[in-house]
Amino acid sequence: MDAPRRVAYEVLAAVRAQGAYANLVLPAALRERKIKGRDAAFATEITYGTLRMQGVLDAVLAHCSSRPLSEVAPEVLDALRLGAYQVLYTRVEPHAAVDTSVELVAEAGQERAKGFANAILRAVARTPAQEWVERLSPRDPLAGAAFRHAHPEWIARSFAAALGADAAEAAASGELERALEADSLRPTVHLVARPGEISAEELALVVGGEEGRYSPYAVYLDSGSPSELEPVRQGLAAVQDEGSQLIARAVATAPVLGEDSGRWLDLCAGPGGKAALLGALARIDRAQVDAVEPAAHRAELVRKAVRGLPVTVHVADGRCSGLTPGYDRVLVDAPCSGLGALRRRPEARWRKQESDIEDLRALQYELLAAALDLVRPGGVVVYSTCSPDLRETREIVERAVAERGVEELPARDLVPGMDRVGDAPSVQMWPHRHGTDAMFFAALRKA
């Protein structure tokens, strides 16, 4: 068995059995096995592709199987998915994909399942991928779009609502298809130039990248390993999605009433990306930032990210931080479902459940309420999530406006040049529209 396929199979097993994240496990496995170049690229393609397309692969395998997939041994199902992905979505010769997958079944101690696996994969290989999709796709437009782009139907419905359309309208317009498709595209690496240390123009010249469209600190990088870049190694720059940069900048630039005394707060700071950018901006404005993170190990990540900046890290629950009220500016980057960053974690779309959102809503509102208690009259709270789901975004903000008597500011004014951000005063970004994660933020000013 060749090393790339064995590594891919082992990562699939770790994701399934241990709840591991492929984007963390796979790079480590490639380094450990010293797999590089084309072999590493192949292992990455078949691992991420198999995880991302699991819904379609399972539908095809179920159609070809003589028994329900729930009755198939997990080790066998991992190999079947890996083989089916190669057959349907790569240029690998079908016989090679089938034979190596059957060998993986045997190596996993499932010798008796070799014939079963061989028969299923040969049946899969007789029909092209597009024909399988057309044959198995649901007739309902939204369910069909979800199936074609390998998303659970509830996520497609969530996206449709956030796009400002009902399910049928979103599916008919084609924008839902574009939003779902963007989750399967490799995201461009975004670098942030640390303000006061290096400009985006200088960073782009040094690394051979392109200045960002929206954030004055963003640089796009098409290829290469960011961790090996000299500006990143020196702490002059870091990897950060442009949407995150815009949210941190909005905290520093939102209009407050009265004098800004320089007391800023990041209430949900881990792992520290936004806190670092906010700290760099605070240093320029001679402000001080308090950063709150309840988990000790994540608080340590924040400390490393903000080293040398005017940021004090507190290990505390943001809902009862014990901090003294009177902050001018507060960021609440609330824990969320992460539906806006599905393109970065291929297995996430199948791991998340709609019930997760209901569990998060109470926490999100409690954190926002705590922030409103800590901000001074005339001060601003920026509420953000890496999710477009309305239950985590607009509904939380509208409840705060109704119950706490705060004023919602036009957040679009804080991202000049960015259009199509939604009809509400808040900003909803999208990968297919803006090239960022699907990040949301609203700006609330205390009366």
mmCIF file of all heavy atoms in Angstrom, residues 187-215:
data_model
loop_
_atom_site.group_PDB
_atom_site.id
_atom_site.type_symbol
_atom_site.label_atom_id
_atom_site.label_comp_id
_atom_site.label_asym_id
_atom_site.label_seq_id
_atom_site.Cartn_x
_atom_site.Cartn_y
_atom_site.Cartn_z
ATOM 1 N N PRO A 187 -9.664 27.983 0.111
ATOM 2 C CA PRO A 187 -9.611 29.418 0.391
ATOM 3 C C PRO A 187 -8.211 29.982 0.170
ATOM 4 O O PRO A 187 -7.208 29.326 0.446
ATOM 5 C CB PRO A 187 -10.005 29.512 1.865
ATOM 6 C CG PRO A 187 -9.650 28.177 2.443
ATOM 7 C CD PRO A 187 -9.854 27.179 1.329
ATOM 8 N N THR A 188 -8.162 31.204 -0.345
ATOM 9 C CA THR A 188 -6.899 31.921 -0.459
ATOM 10 C C THR A 188 -6.383 32.258 0.930
ATOM 11 O O THR A 188 -7.153 32.622 1.816
ATOM 12 C CB THR A 188 -7.106 33.220 -1.264
ATOM 13 O OG1 THR A 188 -7.589 32.886 -2.559
ATOM 14 C CG2 THR A 188 -5.807 33.998 -1.402
ATOM 15 N N VAL A 189 -5.083 32.127 1.126
ATOM 16 C CA VAL A 189 -4.495 32.488 2.412
ATOM 17 C C VAL A 189 -4.493 34.002 2.554
ATOM 18 O O VAL A 189 -4.057 34.720 1.655
ATOM 19 C CB VAL A 189 -3.050 31.942 2.527
ATOM 20 C CG1 VAL A 189 -2.382 32.466 3.805
ATOM 21 C CG2 VAL A 189 -3.051 30.427 2.515
ATOM 22 N N HIS A 190 -4.999 34.493 3.681
ATOM 23 C CA HIS A 190 -4.996 35.924 3.976
ATOM 24 C C HIS A 190 -3.979 36.197 5.078
ATOM 25 O O HIS A 190 -4.006 35.553 6.127
ATOM 26 C CB HIS A 190 -6.372 36.396 4.447
ATOM 27 C CG HIS A 190 -7.418 36.327 3.386
ATOM 28 N ND1 HIS A 190 -8.745 36.628 3.623
ATOM 29 C CD2 HIS A 190 -7.355 35.988 2.081
ATOM 30 C CE1 HIS A 190 -9.445 36.480 2.511
ATOM 31 N NE2 HIS A 190 -8.620 36.079 1.569
ATOM 32 N N LEU A 191 -3.094 37.142 4.837
ATOM 33 C CA LEU A 191 -2.160 37.600 5.854
ATOM 34 C C LEU A 191 -2.612 38.945 6.380
ATOM 35 O O LEU A 191 -3.252 39.722 5.660
ATOM 36 C CB LEU A 191 -0.747 37.746 5.274
ATOM 37 C CG LEU A 191 -0.087 36.495 4.690
ATOM 38 C CD1 LEU A 191 1.287 36.853 4.138
ATOM 39 C CD2 LEU A 191 0.033 35.396 5.733
ATOM 40 N N VAL A 192 -2.285 39.231 7.633
ATOM 41 C CA VAL A 192 -2.544 40.544 8.209
ATOM 42 C C VAL A 192 -1.207 41.198 8.512
ATOM 43 O O VAL A 192 -0.341 40.602 9.156
ATOM 44 C CB VAL A 192 -3.419 40.453 9.485
ATOM 45 C CG1 VAL A 192 -2.787 39.560 10.547
ATOM 46 C CG2 VAL A 192 -3.694 41.845 10.043
ATOM 47 N N ALA A 193 -1.020 42.408 8.015
ATOM 48 C CA ALA A 193 0.167 43.200 8.317
ATOM 49 C C ALA A 193 -0.081 43.924 9.623
ATOM 50 O O ALA A 193 -1.051 44.683 9.742
ATOM 51 C CB ALA A 193 0.440 44.191 7.192
ATOM 52 N N ARG A 194 0.770 43.691 10.612
ATOM 53 C CA ARG A 194 0.528 44.295 11.924
ATOM 54 C C ARG A 194 0.709 45.807 11.848
ATOM 55 O O ARG A 194 1.799 46.302 11.533
ATOM 56 C CB ARG A 194 1.482 43.704 12.963
ATOM 57 C CG ARG A 194 1.330 44.322 14.342
ATOM 58 C CD ARG A 194 2.048 43.534 15.407
ATOM 59 N NE ARG A 194 1.310 42.299 15.715
ATOM 60 C CZ ARG A 194 1.707 41.433 16.657
ATOM 61 N NH1 ARG A 194 2.813 41.653 17.337
ATOM 62 N NH2 ARG A 194 0.982 40.353 16.890
ATOM 63 N N PRO A 195 -0.354 46.571 12.148
ATOM 64 C CA PRO A 195 -0.264 48.038 12.111
ATOM 65 C C PRO A 195 0.855 48.546 13.028
ATOM 66 O O PRO A 195 1.037 48.051 14.141
ATOM 67 C CB PRO A 195 -1.637 48.494 12.616
ATOM 68 C CG PRO A 195 -2.546 47.333 12.346
ATOM 69 C CD PRO A 195 -1.710 46.111 12.530
ATOM 70 N N GLY A 196 1.596 49.525 12.534
ATOM 71 C CA GLY A 196 2.701 50.075 13.301
ATOM 72 C C GLY A 196 4.003 49.327 13.108
ATOM 73 O O GLY A 196 5.059 49.791 13.557
ATOM 74 N N GLU A 197 3.943 48.157 12.441
ATOM 75 C CA GLU A 197 5.145 47.362 12.201
ATOM 76 C C GLU A 197 5.491 47.286 10.719
ATOM 77 O O GLU A 197 6.649 47.422 10.325
ATOM 78 C CB GLU A 197 4.963 45.944 12.755
ATOM 79 C CG GLU A 197 4.693 45.872 14.238
ATOM 80 C CD GLU A 197 5.952 46.054 15.066
ATOM 81 O OE1 GLU A 197 7.042 46.162 14.469
ATOM 82 O OE2 GLU A 197 5.839 46.102 16.305
ATOM 83 N N ILE A 198 4.465 47.043 9.891
ATOM 84 C CA ILE A 198 4.672 46.892 8.456
ATOM 85 C C ILE A 198 3.353 47.210 7.767
ATOM 86 O O ILE A 198 2.277 46.940 8.318
ATOM 87 C CB ILE A 198 5.154 45.463 8.106
ATOM 88 C CG1 ILE A 198 5.585 45.358 6.634
ATOM 89 C CG2 ILE A 198 4.073 44.441 8.427
ATOM 90 C CD1 ILE A 198 6.235 44.019 6.287
ATOM 91 N N SER A 199 3.413 47.808 6.597
ATOM 92 C CA SER A 199 2.189 48.116 5.852
ATOM 93 C C SER A 199 1.830 46.937 4.955
ATOM 94 O O SER A 199 2.663 46.078 4.657
ATOM 95 C CB SER A 199 2.387 49.369 4.999
ATOM 96 O OG SER A 199 3.294 49.106 3.930
ATOM 97 N N ALA A 200 0.575 46.906 4.528
ATOM 98 C CA ALA A 200 0.148 45.855 3.608
ATOM 99 C C ALA A 200 0.926 45.934 2.301
ATOM 100 O O ALA A 200 1.266 44.909 1.711
ATOM 101 C CB ALA A 200 -1.358 45.972 3.350
ATOM 102 N N GLU A 201 1.213 47.150 1.844
ATOM 103 C CA GLU A 201 1.984 47.312 0.603
ATOM 104 C C GLU A 201 3.377 46.701 0.751
ATOM 105 O O GLU A 201 3.846 45.969 -0.123
ATOM 106 C CB GLU A 201 2.096 48.789 0.254
ATOM 107 C CG GLU A 201 2.864 49.057 -1.032
ATOM 108 C CD GLU A 201 2.988 50.542 -1.341
ATOM 109 O OE1 GLU A 201 2.702 51.362 -0.450
ATOM 110 O OE2 GLU A 201 3.381 50.878 -2.479
ATOM 111 N N GLU A 202 4.028 46.979 1.871
ATOM 112 C CA GLU A 202 5.367 46.424 2.103
ATOM 113 C C GLU A 202 5.318 44.907 2.239
ATOM 114 O O GLU A 202 6.161 44.196 1.680
ATOM 115 C CB GLU A 202 5.966 47.040 3.375
ATOM 116 C CG GLU A 202 6.297 48.520 3.253
ATOM 117 C CD GLU A 202 6.599 49.152 4.595
ATOM 118 O OE1 GLU A 202 6.072 48.676 5.626
ATOM 119 O OE2 GLU A 202 7.368 50.129 4.612
ATOM 120 N N LEU A 203 4.320 44.415 2.962
ATOM 121 C CA LEU A 203 4.193 42.973 3.144
ATOM 122 C C LEU A 203 3.964 42.262 1.818
ATOM 123 O O LEU A 203 4.566 41.213 1.549
ATOM 124 C CB LEU A 203 3.043 42.672 4.106
ATOM 125 C CG LEU A 203 2.770 41.194 4.405
ATOM 126 C CD1 LEU A 203 3.991 40.531 5.030
ATOM 127 C CD2 LEU A 203 1.542 41.048 5.317
ATOM 128 N N ALA A 204 3.098 42.836 0.970
ATOM 129 C CA ALA A 204 2.832 42.230 -0.336
ATOM 130 C C ALA A 204 4.101 42.149 -1.180
ATOM 131 O O ALA A 204 4.344 41.152 -1.868
ATOM 132 C CB ALA A 204 1.748 43.026 -1.071
ATOM 133 N N LEU A 205 4.910 43.187 -1.123
ATOM 134 C CA LEU A 205 6.161 43.184 -1.881
ATOM 135 C C LEU A 205 7.132 42.132 -1.365
ATOM 136 O O LEU A 205 7.794 41.434 -2.139
ATOM 137 C CB LEU A 205 6.816 44.569 -1.826
ATOM 138 C CG LEU A 205 6.128 45.679 -2.617
ATOM 139 C CD1 LEU A 205 6.767 47.029 -2.317
ATOM 140 C CD2 LEU A 205 6.180 45.390 -4.115
ATOM 141 N N VAL A 206 7.200 41.981 -0.056
ATOM 142 C CA VAL A 206 8.146 41.032 0.537
ATOM 143 C C VAL A 206 7.752 39.589 0.241
ATOM 144 O O VAL A 206 8.615 38.752 -0.081
ATOM 145 C CB VAL A 206 8.236 41.259 2.067
ATOM 146 C CG1 VAL A 206 9.042 40.146 2.732
ATOM 147 C CG2 VAL A 206 8.868 42.610 2.362
ATOM 148 N N VAL A 207 6.473 39.272 0.335
ATOM 149 C CA VAL A 207 6.041 37.875 0.199
ATOM 150 C C VAL A 207 5.547 37.538 -1.202
ATOM 151 O O VAL A 207 5.218 36.377 -1.485
ATOM 152 C CB VAL A 207 4.923 37.547 1.221
ATOM 153 C CG1 VAL A 207 5.406 37.814 2.627
ATOM 154 C CG2 VAL A 207 3.635 38.321 0.925
ATOM 155 N N GLY A 208 5.490 38.536 -2.087
ATOM 156 C CA GLY A 208 4.997 38.278 -3.435
ATOM 157 C C GLY A 208 3.503 38.079 -3.490
ATOM 158 O O GLY A 208 2.998 37.331 -4.341
ATOM 159 N N GLY A 209 2.767 38.752 -2.595
ATOM 160 C CA GLY A 209 1.319 38.621 -2.569
ATOM 161 C C GLY A 209 0.626 39.834 -3.154
ATOM 162 O O GLY A 209 1.247 40.690 -3.795
ATOM 163 N N GLU A 210 -0.675 39.899 -2.921
ATOM 164 C CA GLU A 210 -1.512 40.981 -3.460
ATOM 165 C C GLU A 210 -2.247 41.655 -2.307
ATOM 166 O O GLU A 210 -2.766 40.980 -1.419
ATOM 167 C CB GLU A 210 -2.516 40.401 -4.457
ATOM 168 C CG GLU A 210 -3.506 41.404 -5.023
ATOM 169 C CD GLU A 210 -4.585 40.737 -5.850
ATOM 170 O OE1 GLU A 210 -4.502 39.520 -6.091
ATOM 171 O OE2 GLU A 210 -5.526 41.449 -6.243
ATOM 172 N N GLU A 211 -2.273 42.975 -2.317
ATOM 173 C CA GLU A 211 -2.979 43.692 -1.257
ATOM 174 C C GLU A 211 -4.468 43.359 -1.278
ATOM 175 O O GLU A 211 -5.067 43.155 -2.332
ATOM 176 C CB GLU A 211 -2.783 45.201 -1.423
ATOM 177 C CG GLU A 211 -1.365 45.675 -1.144
ATOM 178 C CD GLU A 211 -1.250 47.180 -1.230
ATOM 179 O OE1 GLU A 211 -1.928 47.872 -0.442
ATOM 180 O OE2 GLU A 211 -0.498 47.668 -2.105
ATOM 181 N N GLY A 212 -5.069 43.316 -0.083
ATOM 182 C CA GLY A 212 -6.470 42.955 0.043
ATOM 183 C C GLY A 212 -7.408 44.003 -0.520
ATOM 184 O O GLY A 212 -7.048 45.171 -0.681
ATOM 185 N N ARG A 213 -8.642 43.586 -0.774
ATOM 186 C CA ARG A 213 -9.639 44.494 -1.346
ATOM 187 C C ARG A 213 -10.301 45.374 -0.304
ATOM 188 O O ARG A 213 -10.690 46.507 -0.594
ATOM 189 C CB ARG A 213 -10.724 43.683 -2.064
ATOM 190 C CG ARG A 213 -10.289 43.079 -3.389
ATOM 191 C CD ARG A 213 -11.475 42.430 -4.084
ATOM 192 N NE ARG A 213 -11.939 41.248 -3.366
ATOM 193 C CZ ARG A 213 -13.073 40.618 -3.634
ATOM 194 N NH1 ARG A 213 -13.890 41.081 -4.568
ATOM 195 N NH2 ARG A 213 -13.419 39.533 -2.951
ATOM 196 N N TYR A 214 -10.453 44.871 0.923
ATOM 197 C CA TYR A 214 -11.278 45.563 1.901
ATOM 198 C C TYR A 214 -10.505 46.015 3.134
ATOM 199 O O TYR A 214 -10.661 47.137 3.583
ATOM 200 C CB TYR A 214 -12.439 44.655 2.327
ATOM 201 C CG TYR A 214 -13.248 44.120 1.175
ATOM 202 C CD1 TYR A 214 -13.266 42.755 0.882
ATOM 203 C CD2 TYR A 214 -13.992 44.965 0.363
ATOM 204 C CE1 TYR A 214 -14.011 42.253 -0.175
ATOM 205 C CE2 TYR A 214 -14.739 44.479 -0.693
ATOM 206 C CZ TYR A 214 -14.733 43.118 -0.959
ATOM 207 O OH TYR A 214 -15.460 42.636 -2.017
ATOM 208 N N SER A 215 -9.717 45.148 3.699
ATOM 209 C CA SER A 215 -8.955 45.520 4.899
ATOM 210 C C SER A 215 -7.661 46.216 4.501
ATOM 211 O O SER A 215 -6.930 45.721 3.630
ATOM 212 C CB SER A 215 -8.621 44.270 5.728
ATOM 213 O OG SER A 215 -7.642 44.573 6.703
#
